[in-house]
Amino acid sequence: MMVDGRVARGERTRTAVLDTAVALVTQDGLDGLSLAQLAEALGVSKSGLFAHWRSKQDLQLATVERAREQWSERVIGPARAVPRGVRRLWALHVARLDFYASSTLPGGCFFATVKFEYNARSGPLYERIAQSHAEWMEYVEKLARQAVEVGDLKPDTDVAMLAYEIEAAGVAAVMQFRLLSPQVVYPLARRAVLERLRGLCTDPTLLPEE
């Protein structure tokens, strides 16, 4: 039991450290993340962190994985609680915007930051980021396809295009929230997707008016 308790505390500590790393990346990028920077932000010794991650790349890859977990908890999880169909697809977009608006991450979005940072690179970090993006887009398409299958969206809906449009609205919002303001961009991103879904919906009353 004592061993189990130590393991649980160790996991909680590791998660808290990686949460800080994810937040730092949204401001300074993955290249800017290092054991020294993280130790300074946490007020701990670098040697203590070195026991968990033996290199900068190990830390970077672990941070990507923690960002994926956060996304699953804060965006995918709430959407799964909603009935399958267009309402779940809409809930996914709303949860994403709510996550951004919560200011949990000072730079807005981990994945928007690293996708731009690593877009023209290669190597393990690029591959993991690219895989994460591909899986996300496949998931959005899957929800759109389910909405067609249950009869919520028109049979001729181009689910790949719809997923692309939803993603574009989300990325535009998080990239512009400091340049304009959250009060401007998040309602626009919400409205853009809502109007698109209502235009494709066989029963628009499934969705809110605005």
Side-chain angles (χ1 to χ4, degrees), residues 30 40 42 84 93 108 178 199 205:
L30 266 177
E40 181 180 358
L42 291 165
R84 180 180 297 191
H93 183 63
R178 287 193 186 278
T205 63

Side-chain angles (χ1 to χ4, degrees), residues 166-181:
I166 293 171
E167 173 67 4
V171 171
V174 80
M175 296 305 293
Q176 296 175 11
F177 84 103
R178 287 193 186 278
L179 297 172
L180 298 174
S181 80

Side-chain angles (χ1 to χ4, degrees), residues 3-196:
V3 172
D4 289 346
R6 288 196 297 269
V7 170
R9 286 194 297 274
E11 283 300 312
R12 287 196 297 270
T13 299
R14 187 176 187 275
T15 297
V17 170
L18 289 175
D19 283 344
T20 299
V22 171
L24 288 172
V25 167
T26 66
Q27 294 179 301
D28 302 323
L30 266 177
D31 270 359
L33 181 66
S34 67
L35 291 169
Q37 181 208 31
L38 189 54
E40 181 180 358
L42 291 165
V44 300
S45 68
K46 180 180 174 182
S47 60
L49 297 179
F50 193 72
H52 292 280
W53 304 285
R54 306 293 292 181
S55 69
K56 177 175 178 174
Q57 186 175 93
D58 286 345
L59 172 62
Q60 290 170 320
L61 287 169
T63 303
V64 173
E65 293 311 305
R66 178 54 190 153
R68 285 168 55 91
E69 291 171 1
Q70 282 187 351
W71 193 260
S72 179
E73 294 163 3
R74 299 291 297 272
V75 179
I76 296 176
R80 283 179 174 166
V82 176
R84 180 180 297 191
V86 72
R87 287 174 292 180
R88 182 176 293 181
L89 184 59
W90 168 242
L92 187 74
H93 183 63
V94 170
R96 175 186 192 163
L97 296 179
D98 287 347
F99 185 31
Y100 292 161
S102 72
S103 300
T104 301
L105 303 178
C109 180
F110 177 90
F111 289 104
T113 299
V114 300
K115 281 186 283 191
F116 278 98
E117 184 182 7
Y118 278 81
N119 186 49
R121 304 191 190 188
S122 60
L125 283 167
Y126 165 80
E127 291 168 4
R128 194 67 183 107
I129 292 164
Q131 180 185 8
S132 297
H133 179 68
E135 290 173 355
W136 165 248
M137 294 304 297
E138 288 171 4
Y139 184 70
V140 181
E141 282 192 39
K142 174 185 174 181
L143 295 196
R145 190 174 299 109
Q146 289 177 349
V148 173
E149 291 169 353
V150 300
D152 288 354
L153 295 181
K154 297 174 182 177
D156 61 350
T157 298
D158 186 335
V159 295
M161 178 58 73
L162 180 57
Y164 183 85
E165 291 170 337
I166 293 171
E167 173 67 4
V171 171
V174 80
M175 296 305 293
Q176 296 175 11
F177 84 103
R178 287 193 186 278
L179 297 172
L180 298 174
S181 80
Q183 291 74 27
V184 172
V185 298
Y186 294 146
L188 286 175
R190 179 184 174 96
R191 179 182 166 190
V193 172
L194 180 59
E195 290 185 356
R196 183 72 174 114

